[in-house]
Amino acid sequence: ERFAHWMLAGSFIVLGLTGLIVMFGRAFIAPTFGKEANAVILSASKIIHNNIAWPFMLALVMIFVMWVWHNIPNRTDLTWFAQAGGIIGKKHPPAKKFNAGQKIIFWSVILLGGSISVSGLSLLFPFELPLFAKTFTVLNDLGVPGLLGMAELPTQLAPQEEMQLAQAWHAIVGFVLMAIIIAHIYIGSVGMEGAFDAMGSGEVDEAWAHQHHSLWLDEVKAKDAPKS
């Protein structure tokens, strides 16, 4: 679990940084270091970005398989939201292995990360994996443009148009996920004492577990209890 988490986290950070360099390098790197340096840095960033995408997608599949059953919403999530994760009230609400806030992070990573991966694959293979023409056809068939007061979406797109749309979608969803992950990094490190230990050493203090994940702690104790 920790291997998949850190592979996902590390690859995403590299993808985010190289993506920003590719997007804004001409505006910030070229004026400072020159056009030749900018060309070298952008070319290297592009190669790194395209190759680090594969471990990111692998880790995405791994955490989905390992954690999806722990992240299905249930009634305890309503209590967690009602108490704002412990902000309202004198103690943290009961939670299993993942609380409601962590479930939001999980599904955000799965859905947005999956969307980024699909658009990225479309950018890598624009002729083999056109994305938007087929999507627009489905949306038109469902009548979505009409519900929004829009004209029907184009269903015949050149590869260049497919890439332009994929690049825009890739960047927009990437920025949204980066904002979510920055919040996740803060809460999982300095924002909540003891939270980093779970993914750092793989162990947490029993008192911390009781405070933040009491239902999960009860399950662990029940499994470890000697059978009479």
Side-chain angles (χ1 to χ4, degrees), residues 132-141 143-146 148 150-157 165:
F132 283 87
K134 295 179 181 179
T135 303
F136 290 165
T137 299
V138 173
L139 292 175
N140 287 338
D141 292 341
V144 174
L148 299 175
M150 299 167 53
E152 283 201 346
L153 299 169
T155 56
Q156 298 293 326
L157 296 171
L165 290 169

Side-chain angles (χ1 to χ4, degrees), residues 49-88:
H49 193 89
N50 291 348
N51 286 281
I52 294 296
W54 303 109
F56 172 79
M57 288 186 282
L58 174 61
L60 200 65
V61 173
M62 290 175 68
I63 69 161
F64 177 79
V65 172
M66 289 187 292
W67 291 342
V68 63
W69 302 113
H70 297 290
N71 283 277
I72 296 173
N74 54 51
R75 292 182 178 180
T76 59
D77 299 329
L78 299 176
T79 303
W80 194 92
F81 283 122
Q83 297 182 24
I87 296 175
I88 301 173

